[in-house]
Amino acid sequence: MPAWADKYQRLVVTLLLGFCLAGSVGAQTSDLVSSSALRVCADPANYPMSSRDEDGFENKLAEFVGAKLELPVQYTWYPMATGFVRNTLNAKQCDLIIGYAQGHELVLNTNHYFTSVYTLIVPKDAEISDVKTLADPVLKGRKLGIIAGTPPSAHLARNGLIAKAKAYNLVVDRRHESPAVDMLDDLGAGEIDGAILWGPLGGPLVKSSYPDFKVIPLVSEQTPPRLFFRITMGVRLGEKVWQRNLNSLIRRNQDEINSLLADAGVPLVTDLGTEVMEISN
């Protein structure tokens, strides 16, 4: 056999072996996803998103996905803090995180299934109830609540509102402390004039427990950082088949997902965060 033919044959064998190994790895990765249950990774004390009593809107979304896949939902509970992905999804204890910010490197994101935005929450009868942006001069001298380190903090600083702001902890164990609830309680007690919260957190809390408050989605901010974010579901890195199955499910059922979120009180905005979406139930 000529030398060139021998090299060609070895190259073909090497390529075929590589394809076989790639297929084997893909099959093993897919085998990690349970076929008998929808195994969900979730925080047990992150209401209104998720809770051990399964009353959060992410729990309802999990039930919706499970029903579409004809699978019962099983939970692995772990606080949504450092180590959450490592000890749940990557430890093969579960196969799906219902809510995860788009573009995070720890997981493989599905297509986003909603976009939401930070909000300003005020009493309905307050003088500042018509505010549309944190740059509004009517906010000068007001005391606003803010979760420390979140994007709206930069807007408060730019607009001269940070000195009087009251900061609440960002990283906590929600089983023992709830900064969002503390902030809204302080608003009700008159200790602050307004509360700035992530929409999927503040909107449902107001709808369920604070009927005298108004939720103002901050879609009119003209300067960075952006205050809107797209939310996906998260799966293990490499699980492309599982990701594609979920993408298809989201695409086919987007209207129902929107209705479920809107019914929970989540403010939904367009993909570019410029308008509030009106969802009819």
Side-chain angles (χ1 to χ4, degrees):
M1 179 185 294
W4 68 266
D6 182 52
K7 290 181 180 178
Y8 178 77
Q9 185 174 7
R10 288 202 301 270
L11 175 61
V12 170
V13 170
T14 301
L15 289 174
L16 287 173
L17 180 60
F19 288 140
C20 289
L21 287 174
S24 173
V25 170
Q28 291 173 2
T29 301
S30 298
D31 286 345
L32 296 175
V33 178
S34 172
S35 60
S36 61
L38 179 65
R39 304 190 305 167
V40 176
C41 328
D43 189 320
N46 198 28
Y47 184 83
M49 297 176 186
S50 65
S51 62
R52 192 179 289 275
D53 63 9
E54 300 180 25
D55 196 35
F57 66 80
E58 288 185 357
N59 302 112
K60 294 178 173 60
L61 275 169
E63 290 293 335
F64 178 83
V65 173
K68 293 297 179 181
L69 296 174
E70 299 183 346
L71 293 173
V73 177
Q74 293 180 1
Y75 283 100
T76 294
W77 301 109
Y78 196 91
M80 184 72 78
T82 302
F84 176 79
V85 173
R86 181 179 68 251
N87 290 295
T88 57
L89 195 67
N90 288 350
K92 319 299 190 295
Q93 299 299 307
C94 43
D95 304 314
L96 178 65
I97 301 172
I98 291 293
Y100 218 83
Q102 187 181 60
H104 206 291
E105 296 178 353
L106 292 179
V107 305
L108 178 63
N109 297 104
T110 66
N111 294 339
H112 69 282
Y113 63 93
F114 78 96
T115 304
S116 194
V117 68
Y118 276 87
T119 62
L120 172 64
I121 300 170
V122 299
K124 289 180 179 177
D125 59 357
E127 293 180 9
I128 60 174
S129 62
D130 292 329
V131 163
K132 302 298 181 186
T133 170
L134 296 176
D136 193 316
V138 75
L139 292 176
K140 296 294 184 184
R142 307 284 183 171
K143 186 175 184 179
L144 302 179
I146 183 77
I147 302 294
T150 55
S153 299
H155 291 264
L156 293 190
R158 181 183 298 112
N159 293 303
L161 303 172
I162 201 70
K164 294 197 67 174
K166 181 176 181 179
Y168 297 77
N169 291 331
L170 173 62
V171 180
V172 300
D173 186 336
R174 289 286 303 277
R175 294 170 297 181
H176 307 293
E177 182 181 351
S178 182
V181 172
D182 292 343
M183 192 188 303
L184 293 176
D185 286 345
D186 285 349
L187 180 59
E191 294 185 18
I192 56 176
D193 299 305
I196 300 174
L197 285 171
W198 171 231
L201 187 58
L205 285 174
V206 167
K207 183 168 184 177
S208 65
S209 305
Y210 301 89
D212 295 330
F213 292 170
K214 177 181 179 181
V215 178
I216 304 170
L218 294 171
V219 295
S220 299
E221 301 303 326
Q222 301 298 313
T223 55
R226 65 178 177 135
L227 299 184
F228 68 94
F229 295 91
R230 298 171 187 142
I231 304 301
T232 74
M233 298 180 191
V235 303
R236 272 183 293 276
L237 296 174
E239 292 185 339
K240 299 293 291 184
V241 173
W242 180 217
Q243 178 204 42
R244 287 195 294 269
N245 289 342
L246 291 167
N247 284 343
S248 178
L249 187 152
I250 291 168
R251 184 175 61 254
R252 296 194 312 270
N253 298 283
Q254 187 65 66
D255 289 344
E256 290 177 86
I257 292 172
N258 287 348
S259 293
L260 190 156
L261 292 167
D263 187 61
V266 177
L268 301 177
V269 301
T270 54
D271 284 353
L272 295 179
T274 55
E275 293 182 57
V276 177
M277 294 173 59
E278 297 296 334
I279 306 298
S280 57
N281 293 316

